[in-house]
């Protein structure tokens, strides 16, 4: 039981490049979400999903896309990277939409130059 | 939408003393309030949570209190130890919303 696995752990992108941050969980959790963490701003919700085939926007969705084709995977796509997207990204999952005991991954540190 | 304010941003206490971190929320319909601990280089980890029908919850050295009237909740850590040093986040979940709104975080340092 690996929990929530995020890859890669570190990434450097050039402005305008695209990439996908991977997130996978093996706990059969229905709810998954993506947060970004910036100094002094806590964790801000980018996108979330309450189940396979269902996604919705959070507080800061611009510049990011998600899809949820399986229960296990919830990738986050950066369409055209910008320096403002330099951040640490965390994926989290939860068993039920109304049980908010999130399990977080270890994060992806992204730098856009 | 929900807004969560967390104070202080940094807190330094002597080992063995108590530490208190406070959060206020804006949406009176919020009904779930978890606390997460984040150690360096790791993802946040749930340490305790409380729901709106409960005023206080304890788990060994950690306790959380909730004042729904004043819309604030607090994390209390007693008999602090060096391994309590970390960043702590509070969060609130508005009723009916499928998400958590986090506070800005508190960096807690335990001095030996």
């Amino acid at each position: 039981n690996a929990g929530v696995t995020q890859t890669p752990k570190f990434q450097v992108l050039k402005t305008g490049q695209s990439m996908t941050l991977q997130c996978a969980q093996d706990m059969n959790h229905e709810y998954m979400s993506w947060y970004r963490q910036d100094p002094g701003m806590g964790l801000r919700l980018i996108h979330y999903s309450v189940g396979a085939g269902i996604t919705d926007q959070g507080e800061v969705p611009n510049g990011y896309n998600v899809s949820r084709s399986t229960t296990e995977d919830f990738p986050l796509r950066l369409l055209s990277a910008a320096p403002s997207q330099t951040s640490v990204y965390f994926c989290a999952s939860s068993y039920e939409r109304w049980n908010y005991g999130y399990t977080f991954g270890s994060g992806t540190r992204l730098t856009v130059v | 939408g929900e807004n969560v304010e967390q104070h202080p941003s940094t807190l330094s206490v002597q080992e063995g003393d108590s530490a208190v971190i406070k959060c206020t929320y804006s949406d009176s319909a919020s009904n779930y309030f978890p606390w997460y601990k984040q150690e360096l280089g790791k993802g946040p980890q749930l340490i305790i949570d409380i729901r709106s029908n409960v005023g206080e919850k304890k788990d060994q050295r950690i306790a959380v209190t909730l004042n729904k009237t004043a819309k604030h909740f607090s994390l209390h850590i007693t008999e602090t130890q060096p391994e309590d040093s970390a960043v702590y986040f509070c969060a609130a979940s508005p009723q009916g919303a499928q998400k958590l709104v986090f506070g800005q975080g508190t960096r807690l340092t335990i001095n030996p």
Side-chain angles (χ1 to χ4, degrees):
Chain A
N1 190 336
V4 177
T5 302
Q6 289 185 240
T7 56
K9 292 190 181 301
F10 302 94
Q11 183 71 47
V12 178
L13 286 180
K14 293 183 178 179
T15 297
Q17 287 185 319
S18 62
M19 80 160 294
T20 299
L21 278 63
Q22 301 292 343
C23 175
Q25 53 89 10
D26 60 358
M27 299 172 285
N28 201 31
H29 284 178
E30 289 294 325
Y31 183 91
M32 296 186 74
S33 56
W34 276 101
Y35 285 85
R36 60 177 289 173
Q37 183 175 25
D38 302 293
M41 302 189 74
L43 293 152
R44 292 184 292 168
L45 182 64
I46 305 171
H47 286 287
Y48 64 97
S49 169
V50 298
I54 306 170
T55 63
D56 207 345
Q57 296 182 348
E59 305 171 63
V60 289
N62 293 340
Y64 307 95
N65 263 356
V66 291
S67 60
R68 184 96 180 270
S69 56
T70 67
T71 299
E72 294 77 20
D73 300 298
F74 191 43
L76 178 72
R77 297 183 186 85
L78 279 69
L79 309 174
S80 177
S84 60
Q85 294 178 304
T86 294
S87 186
V88 181
Y89 292 85
F90 288 100
C91 178
S93 71
S94 175
Y95 181 64
E96 295 179 345
R97 65 183 71 183
W98 50 87
N99 176 353
Y100 294 100
Y102 288 9
T103 300
F104 280 86
S106 56
T108 294
R109 183 175 293 275
L110 176 68
T111 302
V112 183
V113 297
Chain B
E2 175 66 281
N3 183 50
V4 178
E5 296 287 335
Q6 183 172 345
H7 298 281
S9 57
T10 61
L11 179 61
S12 183
V13 301
Q14 289 298 120
E15 183 178 353
D17 288 349
S18 295
V20 180
I21 303 170
K22 299 181 179 180
C23 288
T24 60
Y25 59 99
S26 60
D27 187 347
S28 57
S30 289
N31 59 6
Y32 176 70
F33 308 93
W35 286 89
Y36 286 82
K37 176 183 180 182
Q38 185 180 27
E39 297 176 337
L40 193 63
K42 297 183 179 180
Q45 182 176 12
L46 179 70
I47 55 172
I48 195 167
D49 56 11
I50 192 168
R51 299 192 184 272
S52 58
N53 59 345
V54 176
E56 183 176 6
K57 184 176 179 180
K58 290 183 179 180
D59 184 2
Q60 299 183 357
R61 298 186 296 110
I62 294 174
V64 56
T65 59
L66 172 64
N67 184 325
K68 289 188 292 183
T69 302
K71 290 189 287 188
H72 69 70
F73 56 112
S74 299
L75 177 71
H76 305 255
I77 306 174
T78 60
E79 301 173 4
T80 54
Q81 301 170 1
E83 54 264 36
D84 295 328
S85 293
V87 177
Y88 291 81
F89 291 97
C90 64
S93 177
Q95 189 174 22
Q98 310 302 328
K99 59 185 178 182
L100 288 178
V101 178
F102 283 84
Q104 296 86 350
T106 296
R107 182 174 299 278
L108 174 63
T109 301
I110 308 301
N111 301 308

